[in-house]
Amino acid sequence: MERSETELMLKGYGLTTAEFTYHMPDYTHVLNTYVWQDYDLLPDHPKLFEFVEFWQREIEGPLHSVRFSHRRMISPGEWRNVKGVLTLH
């Protein structure tokens, strides 16, 4: 069963965004980009490196470079359970 984004964030996952720059298969002197996002763990980034290995194994365009950024959206200390909402006017 796949976990929700909130559950992943509470377990320490953060949003990882990666920009892959790669050579076009038919025109090796031409570069193109691909943007990838997923929830991943610091510092090892297992999902990012799994995707890089998939790319090298399955995609014809060889990688030129990969730039990535990681941002933890919330931490367990920032989460609180709200029982109700009171609206005024």
Side-chain angles (χ1 to χ4, degrees):
M1 186 170 104
E2 194 168 316
R3 295 182 178 170
S4 72
E5 293 176 0
T6 304
E7 289 176 314
L8 289 173
M9 287 187 280
L10 289 173
K11 292 191 180 294
Y13 283 75
L15 186 63
T16 300
T17 304
E19 178 187 46
F20 292 83
T21 304
Y22 63 96
H23 296 275
M24 296 292 291
D26 295 334
Y27 304 96
T28 56
H29 61 282
V30 177
L31 294 174
N32 202 2
T33 59
Y34 177 79
V35 176
W36 173 90
Q37 278 189 326
D38 204 349
Y39 287 95
D40 211 352
L41 285 171
L42 278 175
D44 296 331
H45 298 288
K47 288 189 176 185
L48 174 61
F49 286 108
E50 179 182 320
F51 186 77
V52 169
E53 290 171 2
F54 165 79
W55 185 290
Q56 292 173 334
R57 187 177 60 248
E58 301 291 333
I59 308 295
E60 291 182 21
L63 287 174
H64 174 270
S65 61
V66 177
R67 294 186 321 162
F68 69 94
S69 171
H70 181 88
R71 172 78 170 114
R72 288 189 66 179
M73 306 303 272
I74 62 172
S75 66
E78 296 173 354
W79 179 261
R80 59 190 173 133
N81 189 11
V82 177
K83 299 272 185 194
V85 176
L86 177 64
T87 306
L88 298 175
H89 303 299

